[in-house]
Amino acid sequence: MAVSVLEAGSSTGLPVFADIEAARGRLDGIAHRTPVLTSRFADERTGGRLFFKCENLQRAGAFKFRGAYNAIAALPPEARRRGVMAYSSGNHAQAIALASRLLDVSATILMPIDSPAMKMAATRGYGAEVVTYDRYTEDRETLARDLAAERGLTLIPPYDHLEVIAGQGTAAAELIEATGPLDMLLVCLGGGGLLSGCALAAAAMSPGCQVIGVEPEAGDDGRQSLARGEIVTIPVPRSIADGALTTHLGQLTFPIVRELASDIVTVPDEALVEAMRFFAQRMKMVVEPTGSLAAAAAFSGAVACEGRRVGVIVSGGNVDLASYARFLAG
Ligand SMILES: *Cc1c(COP(=O)(O)O)cnc(C)c1O
C-alpha cells in the first residue's frame, strides 16, 4: 500500500500544502488576487451555487504566472544569475518571460517556428530571447535540455515541477479562502499542474471537497490514466482547447491527481464554445477555449451541480481576436 501523498511529506519529492503556503508568500503583492465572481444565470442553469475564480484576469492572462513566478523566485541566487529556459508556444512561455523580467532573470524561450507572430512578439516584448524550432522534425524536450545544458540555464517545465505545482495551487487556496468550504471544485486539465496544486489546496482547506479534472473530449489521457492506474500517453489531440493539448500527465502530477482527484470528466469543443459565449454575454469576460473547460463541465451536465457549492477555475483569457470572433459568431 503506497503512502498517502498527504502524509508522506516533502521527502517524496512531491509538493505538499506547505509548498503552496510558501508560494503564497512569494506571490503576495506580485500576482493579482483575481476576483471570484458569481452569476445568477449560471446558478439557475445548473441548480448549484457557482464561484468563478477568474484567472483570465491574472497577469499575462492566465494562472500560469503563479507557477512560473514561484519557480523562478524559489531558485538559488546562483541559478537566477545564469538564467532560465522554457519550451512552450502558449501561456507558460509568456508567464516565464514576465516573471523573469520582474525578477531580473534572463529567460530563453524555445517556441515552434510556426507559432503565431503575436505570441512570439508578446514573449519578446517581455524581454525574453526566443529560440525557434521546427515542431515537425525536432523534439523540443531534447532541444531544450541540450540548450539549457550548453548555456547553464535552469529549465522550468510547464507542469511537472514542484514549485510550478505549488504556485498553481495558490489559485484554489485564494478561491477557498474567499468562499469558505466547497462541495466540488472543477479544474481544467492539461499536464495536471493546475489540477494537482488545486487538489492539494482543497484537501487542506476544504476537506471533503470533490476535486474534478476536466479535459477536452479529444484528449482524455488523464481520464484513461486514472482508469488504468498508470500514466497513459496519447497522440497529440485535436481540440480548440490549445492549452490542454498535452499527451500525458507528469511524474509528479499523476500521483497527486490519482490520490486526490475524485474524477476526470471530458467535454466536447461545442460545449467550450457555448461556455465562451456565456462568459462574453453574461459575465462580460474574454475567456479562451481552454479556460472554459471547467465551466463547460458544469453547463453540459458532465458533473452534477444541483444544490452544491461549486468552485470553477477559469484558467485563462488569451485568445487571438480573429478566432475569438469566429467562436462567438458560430
Ligand atoms: C496550461 C493551461 C491549462 C492546463 O494546465 P496544466 O497545469 O497543464 O494542467 C489550462 N488552461 C490554461 C488557460 C492554460 O494555459
Side-chain angles (χ1 to χ4, degrees):
M1 174 71 195
V3 186
S4 157
V5 298
L6 292 179
E7 282 148 24
S10 39
S11 62
T12 54
L14 295 177
V16 294
F17 184 60
D19 295 307
I20 296 177
E21 290 180 305
R24 289 197 74 182
R26 294 189 191 103
L27 292 170
D28 187 32
I30 310 264
H32 293 321
R33 212 186 158 91
T34 54
V36 176
L37 301 181
T38 57
S39 152
R40 208 168 64 172
F41 175 89
D43 290 355
E44 280 169 9
R45 170 86 191 267
T46 61
R49 179 86 175 118
L50 271 51
F51 301 94
F52 297 94
K53 177 66 171 165
C54 299
E55 287 295 299
N56 56 315
L57 304 177
Q58 185 51 264
R59 296 186 79 166
F63 73 90
K64 290 269 190 351
F65 178 73
R66 295 174 181 272
Y69 187 93
N70 186 49
I72 300 172
L75 289 175
E78 170 54 24
R80 279 166 69 159
R81 264 194 301 279
R82 287 196 303 263
V84 298
M85 143 147 234
Y87 51 82
S88 159
S89 50
N91 291 332
H92 180 61
Q94 289 177 50
I96 288 286
L98 172 59
S100 300
R101 194 186 65 183
L102 295 173
L103 290 161
D104 203 17
V105 168
S106 75
T108 305
I109 313 286
L110 192 59
M111 295 179 94
I113 187 129
D114 56 348
S115 307
M118 240 182 50
K119 275 193 172 159
M120 280 205 218
T123 308
R124 286 199 181 101
Y126 288 127
E129 181 189 345
V130 172
V131 175
T132 55
Y133 72 100
D134 181 345
R135 67 167 105 209
Y136 301 104
T137 61
E138 296 179 285
D139 175 51
R140 68 176 188 176
E141 294 187 29
T142 312
L143 264 178
R145 228 177 288 120
D146 292 351
L147 200 60
E150 190 182 301
R151 299 188 180 185
L153 308 174
T154 302
L155 185 63
I156 308 207
Y159 55 87
D160 214 21
H161 183 285
L162 187 147
E163 301 294 2
V164 169
I165 295 169
Q168 320 306 32
T170 63
E174 284 179 15
L175 168 63
I176 295 165
E177 205 168 74
T179 60
L182 295 169
D183 299 311
M184 182 160 70
L185 178 61
L186 303 175
V187 186
C188 51
L189 173 59
L194 183 63
L195 177 60
S196 54
C198 288
L200 284 167
M205 298 173 68
S206 182
C209 172
Q210 274 191 304
V211 179
I212 296 182
V214 185
E215 290 181 309
E217 202 169 75
D220 71 338
D221 60 289
R223 182 168 65 174
Q224 291 186 42
S225 302
L226 209 56
R228 280 229 227 135
E230 62 184 25
I231 300 174
V232 171
T233 300
I234 58 168
V236 178
R238 280 184 186 278
S239 162
I240 59 171
D242 56 355
L245 300 184
T246 42
T247 58
H248 56 86
L249 297 179
Q251 299 297 327
L252 300 181
T253 59
F254 175 65
I256 301 172
V257 168
R258 179 175 54 184
E259 184 171 328
L260 299 182
S262 310
D263 200 3
I264 293 176
V265 300
T266 67
V267 294
D269 280 4
E270 303 83 74
L272 298 181
V273 170
E274 196 198 322
M276 287 169 74
R277 288 184 186 145
F278 155 76
F279 283 122
Q281 190 157 36
R282 302 279 174 172
M283 299 189 77
K284 323 302 173 198
M285 292 202 303
V286 176
V287 178
E288 62 183 278
T290 318
S292 307
L293 277 163
F299 292 143
S300 68
V303 295
C305 298
E306 283 88 6
R308 309 174 80 191
R309 293 164 53 79
V310 182
V312 178
I313 307 274
V314 182
S315 59
N318 294 324
V319 51
D320 79 85
L321 289 182
S323 9
Y324 188 60
R326 270 197 309 276
F327 292 139
L328 294 194

